Amino acid sequence: MDVTDMRRLFEAHREAEASRDIDAVLTTFVPDCFLETAALGLRSQGRTAVRAAYEQQYFTAFPDLAPQDQGIAFGDDVLVVWGVLRGTSLGEWVGIAPGGGSFEVPFANVVPFREGLMAGETIYFDLATLCEQARIPLEQICAAAAARRTPP
């Protein structure tokens, strides 16, 4: 894919995320897509698992979750975007009760492309700072994420 096509598809993806339209989000991904949250060591594989991750890990836990992209770089069939991630802990996250606090942390997403669509996303952010600001116990989040990982 060329840079223009990657940017256009990623912008459509971001718009779908902002409107919480998970069906539209999923149309930007290949069928065997992935969503990896590096800070938690969690990877969802396939559209059903990715849908669940959006619903349970992101949009329920942080209903006002909003990335503010500050930069973007392109490589061969990949883009990297970085900026500030904001949200408020208002729902259960990986089984841990909400803390009620708001957070603002730097983030980076790595997005590979395949077959004219996004292959997936790997999301990087500072988990300790997010938990501190959101008033969520870091140790509990780490333990809950570890319990959800599938053995290799």
Side-chain angles (χ1 to χ4, degrees), residues 16 34 45 128:
F34 69 89
Q45 188 73 45

Side-chain angles (χ1 to χ4, degrees), residues 60-65 86-93 96-104 129-138 140-141:
T60 298
F62 314 109
D64 61 345
L65 188 67
R86 292 180 178 89
T88 308
S89 173
L90 297 175
E92 212 174 78
W93 189 31
I96 304 303
S102 295
F103 60 86
E104 182 175 309
T129 300
L130 186 152
C131 286
E132 179 183 349
Q133 292 177 3
R135 298 192 302 269
I136 306 169
L138 174 61
Q140 289 181 23
I141 291 292

Side-chain angles (χ1 to χ4, degrees), residues 73-87:
F74 296 90
D76 294 335
D77 292 323
V78 67
L79 73 78
V80 177
V81 63
W82 60 90
V84 176
L85 185 63
R86 292 180 178 89

Side-chain angles (χ1 to χ4, degrees), residues 25 37 44 50 57 70 77 92 110 117 122 126 134 146 150:
V25 168
T37 306
S44 302
V50 168
Q57 288 184 37
Q70 296 176 332
D77 292 323
E92 212 174 78
V110 177
L117 294 169
T122 301
D126 179 350
T150 40

Side-chain angles (χ1 to χ4, degrees), residues 7 9 18 45 50 55 58-59 89 92 101 105 113 116 118 132:
R7 181 185 293 269
L9 184 61
Q45 188 73 45
V50 168
E55 290 172 350
Y58 295 108
F59 295 159
S89 173
E92 212 174 78
V105 295
F113 291 81
M118 293 170 52
E132 179 183 349

